[in-house]
Amino acid sequence: MPVAAKRAERLVNLVIALLGTRQYVSAAKIRTIVPGYEPDDGTDRADEAFKRMFERDKAELREIGVPLETGRTSAFDTEDGYRIARADYELPEITLTGEEAAAVGLALRLWQSAQLAGAAQGALVKLRAAGVAVDQSRGLSIQPRLDAGEPAFEPCYAAARDRRALTFDYRRPDEQSATRRRVQPWGLVAWHGRWYLVGHDLDRQAARVFRLSRVTGTPRASGPAGAFEPPADLDLASVVAGSERREEQLVIVRARPGTAIGLRRHATPLGAADDGDDRLELRTTEPWALADELAAYGPDVLVEAPQRMREAVVARLSELASLGERA
């Protein structure tokens, strides 16, 4: 561990030890209970090393504003000790408005990236120590969270921040291959646990919404910074909500008797077909998610209607079969 890191760890241990008692703690006791100090091996060299280290630590704590007190707990003590008065050390009461608390909570959840996880945790600890209830959901319908499953986030965020054009390959669920997209990125927003990029599609000359999990490869920014400005009245969450709001679709499938138990839980039975299979009625506002589910049942489920759903399931099964052949 680097010297600076060891010193920082020792200072934190010292503060914790002195906050945990109302009595004054002697230097000799501190030497034994706080990790990082020169151990007492009975030599003058070790004693001098400890004294120099402890004096530097006391000076640094006082310099950064830690109220380190010196005194004696009783008249029988033969030497001074040290403590930190909790009342003087703790922050005064902090009051945040609902909007401020929501903003802090949103920032903390966004900061769960690898680059900012430490800063987020430190901020959260300090706020909670001060008695602040950081509201991570009040007034927010989005659920922002960043993890390694969204590798496209960083380049998309940087391009939106810098107002630079962005190029990436994007594959919709109903497409066999990805298509190239050129976008002026307005911003990113999380909606129902998924990240979306909202921007102006340069080829289609219209606003578009892109789910980051469907971006393939690494997006590339191009052109100068500040090349465009998002609409003044832009509400990213509303744009995504509008794009995700679809009419309910009716799907009719056949299932072999005794199979597709999970599917039957949210299906309406329509009776038996001529071949003895069970006919089921399903309703969905997310047809491509349903296509994934139907494909998972393999030959036990057959889509009757609509034709578009049937083709989507066949496409998924064909892709799985090709992957199996290449494995």
Side-chain angles (χ1 to χ4, degrees), residues 66-324:
V66 176
L68 183 63
E69 297 181 347
T70 303
R72 301 186 182 189
T73 304
S74 73
F76 298 100
D77 291 337
T78 58
E79 60 178 310
D80 288 340
Y82 306 89
R83 72 179 182 185
I84 298 174
R86 183 176 294 273
D88 296 331
Y89 179 76
E90 292 176 341
L91 291 173
E93 181 179 355
I94 298 176
T95 303
L96 300 180
T97 66
E99 290 74 15
E100 290 169 339
V104 171
L106 175 59
L108 288 171
R109 297 176 73 170
L110 173 61
W111 289 345
Q112 289 174 3
S113 64
Q115 297 175 349
L116 297 172
Q121 185 63 24
L124 184 59
V125 169
K126 290 178 181 179
L127 287 169
R128 287 179 174 168
V132 178
V134 179
D135 190 344
Q136 299 189 24
S137 60
R138 184 183 183 277
L140 297 173
S141 58
I142 57 178
Q143 299 177 355
R145 183 178 180 84
L146 176 62
D147 54 35
E150 301 292 6
F153 182 93
E154 293 291 347
C156 288
Y157 171 79
R161 178 197 62 203
D162 299 337
R163 304 288 188 254
R164 299 179 66 196
L166 192 65
T167 302
F168 54 88
D169 294 328
Y170 188 74
R171 182 177 179 181
R172 291 174 53 86
D174 55 342
E175 296 176 340
Q176 293 296 321
S177 59
T179 57
R180 181 62 52 85
R181 299 298 183 96
R182 298 187 307 120
V183 176
Q184 290 178 341
W186 293 340
L188 291 94
V189 66
W191 180 258
H192 292 176
R194 298 187 180 98
W195 280 102
Y196 294 85
L197 170 68
V198 180
H200 178 73
D201 192 312
L202 294 172
D203 295 318
R204 291 158 180 80
Q205 287 298 306
R208 289 289 187 270
V209 174
F210 305 93
R211 188 185 298 182
L212 290 193
S213 60
R214 295 174 182 166
V215 174
T216 62
T218 303
R220 297 177 300 279
S222 61
F228 59 88
E229 285 294 330
D233 58 349
L234 177 64
D235 186 334
L236 295 174
S238 296
V239 175
V240 174
S243 70
E244 289 291 291
R245 193 179 298 115
R246 301 183 178 94
E247 293 184 1
E248 187 177 62
Q249 295 189 21
L250 178 67
V251 179
I252 306 298
V253 303
R254 294 187 184 187
R256 291 177 179 175
T259 66
I261 303 303
L263 189 67
R264 295 173 188 269
R265 293 195 182 105
H266 56 91
T268 301
L270 298 179
D274 294 339
D275 58 3
D277 287 347
D278 298 324
R279 298 180 73 245
L280 306 173
E281 177 185 290
L282 299 160
R283 296 179 180 273
T284 181
T285 58
E286 298 184 349
W288 306 116
L290 179 59
D292 290 337
E293 181 182 2
L294 296 175
Y297 291 108
D300 291 332
V301 172
L302 173 68
V303 178
E304 280 192 5
Q307 182 64 23
R308 186 178 183 185
M309 176 63 70
R310 183 184 179 94
E311 292 172 352
V313 173
V314 170
R316 283 158 173 73
L317 293 173
S318 299
E319 181 178 359
L320 290 174
S322 64
L323 291 174

